[in-house]
Amino acid sequence: MGHGHNHSNHNHSHTDISSSSKNLAWAFFLNLFFSLFELVGGVYSNSIAIISDAFHDFGDALSLAFVWYLQKVSTRPNDLHFDYGYRRFSILGALFISVLLTVGSIFMIIESIKRFISPAESKADAMFVLAIVGVVVNGIAMVRLNRGSSFSEKAVFLHFLEDILGWVAVLIGSIFMYFWNLPWFDPLMSLGIAVWILFNAYRNTKQVMRVFLQGVPISLNRSELIAHWENIKGVKSVHDIKIWSLDGNHHVASLHVLMDKKINLSEFQLLKEEIRKVASEFEIIHTTIELETDAEQCKLQPN
């Protein structure tokens, strides 16, 4: 019974990962298409700013391809090299994108300050058309990724949010610059967006690093889980508890259980099944249980 419960959890997680892979594939192809469109638009409107942004987006598309590849690798089962499987590869992709976002935001802040100090004239009509396409394309990718739960999807969602807000700023800026001579308006909005994205990229990196450093998952209430375990009939207490996460969504636990003296040998299996059932309710997909008697406990230090 205990094994059956965990198996259904695995099926559910495989569905999540394959949908993550599809969403990231969508994001990659949309970004690639848009960078090519931008390059043509930039050459047509003779705008160096748009041409350079096209190369920036092409670089983003390549990094998305890398993240998509890592997400696909993360679906592999455990083997001789990785006992827990390859799930962690997806957060490696999330870390890569988060670092890229941070670096991109810093460059955006520097460029915005430069443009703010010495404003440059832009072709408002060409900017307006490209901005509408930019909002639509990035909006489609963002809606797809917003349904995702993996760290990779959250990081890439943030990346598209940066792009969409950038294009909204270009759209508003182009309207203002078409009617009024306000060349400083565009870099001012750009600066605000870059600072906001930098803050969110920092938060995302912090969460990813917590998974890498095997911290207790933020979404999991440790004391509540322990209380549930200690409420199980036949359990006297639990100690030496270790809970960490594989990818931010699928967690692993190990614990020592001090059993009640009255428990029979035949009840061991039922006790383990109950412990695993409680663990699975807290998104824990793998639980290692060490059962102990009072005699063993005397020699151990409880945590």
Side-chain angles (χ1 to χ4, degrees):
M1 191 183 104
H3 291 295
H5 193 98
N6 275 355
H7 186 68
S8 66
N9 235 4
H10 278 298
N11 286 346
H12 170 71
S13 63
H14 275 300
T15 312
D16 285 351
I17 291 168
S18 67
S19 75
S20 294
S21 208
K22 279 178 194 165
N23 288 341
L24 290 168
W26 254 84
F28 162 67
F29 286 115
L30 277 169
N31 218 335
L32 187 66
F33 152 77
F34 188 63
S35 63
L36 295 170
F37 171 80
E38 231 183 338
L39 186 65
V40 172
V43 170
Y44 174 75
S45 62
N46 198 28
S47 166
I48 292 295
I50 290 167
I51 290 168
S52 64
D53 198 60
F55 282 105
H56 158 78
D57 275 344
F58 185 70
D60 287 348
L62 291 177
S63 68
L64 277 172
F66 177 62
V67 173
W68 176 29
Y69 166 73
L70 288 174
Q71 189 72 27
K72 281 182 85 69
V73 169
S74 74
T75 61
R76 290 180 195 168
N78 58 318
D79 58 20
L80 289 168
H81 306 289
F82 293 92
D83 284 335
Y84 279 116
Y86 287 74
R87 286 189 197 279
R88 289 211 152 198
F89 279 77
S90 71
I91 57 163
L92 187 63
L95 185 66
F96 179 77
I97 281 281
S98 296
V99 169
L100 203 79
L101 270 170
T102 304
V103 173
S105 300
I106 292 164
F107 274 111
M108 204 169 151
I109 289 165
I110 294 163
E111 283 305 308
S112 300
I113 292 165
K114 276 193 209 164
R115 287 285 291 269
F116 195 73
I117 294 163
S118 52
E121 282 298 317
S122 309
K123 290 188 172 157
D125 48 355
M127 279 170 67
F128 180 79
V129 173
L130 278 162
I132 287 170
V133 179
V135 169
V136 171
V137 171
N138 288 296
I140 292 164
M142 216 172 73
V143 167
R144 291 270 318 198
L145 290 159
N146 195 27
R147 299 182 203 139
S149 60
S150 74
F151 271 123
S152 293
E153 285 168 294
K154 284 173 189 168
V156 177
F157 170 80
L158 198 60
H159 162 81
F160 276 104
L161 188 60
E162 177 188 40
D163 279 356
I164 206 168
L165 287 171
W167 284 113
V168 166
V170 170
L171 188 68
I172 296 165
S174 67
I175 294 164
F176 272 85
M177 287 186 282
Y178 188 80
F179 294 105
W180 298 283
N181 186 29
L182 300 168
W184 51 265
F185 190 79
D186 178 52
L188 182 70
M189 287 189 79
S190 210
L191 186 67
I193 291 159
V195 169
W196 185 79
I197 290 291
L198 189 64
F199 170 71
N200 280 286
Y202 161 73
R203 265 176 43 185
N204 209 53
T205 308
K206 200 171 141 189
Q207 285 181 320
V208 170
M209 285 311 295
R210 190 184 174 99
V211 176
F212 267 119
L213 297 170
Q214 293 189 306
V216 175
I218 299 168
S219 59
L220 189 143
N221 187 328
R222 195 176 187 272
S223 50
E224 192 187 327
L225 173 59
I226 292 166
H228 275 72
W229 274 335
E230 291 187 333
N231 277 339
I232 295 168
K233 193 187 169 198
V235 173
K236 205 170 178 182
S237 66
V238 292
H239 63 277
D240 199 20
I241 301 144
K242 305 283 184 283
I243 306 162
W244 68 101
S245 189
L246 293 175
D247 60 359
N249 293 319
H250 305 92
H251 316 317
V252 177
S254 73
L255 69 151
H256 286 228
V257 179
L258 180 63
M259 298 173 297
D260 201 302
K261 277 179 194 168
K262 296 187 282 288
I263 198 160
N264 300 320
L265 201 64
S266 58
E267 293 175 294
F268 275 20
Q269 182 61 23
L270 285 168
L271 187 67
K272 280 186 174 182
E273 280 174 12
E274 272 302 305
I275 291 164
R276 285 202 172 96
K277 192 181 169 200
V278 167
S280 68
E281 284 162 16
F282 283 79
E283 301 294 313
I284 294 168
I285 60 162
H286 184 90
T287 312
T288 306
I289 305 156
E290 175 80 27
L291 296 175
E292 290 169 2
T293 60
D294 272 318
E296 282 180 288
Q297 177 62 16
C298 293
K299 300 170 194 168
L300 294 160
Q301 280 289 327
N303 76 329

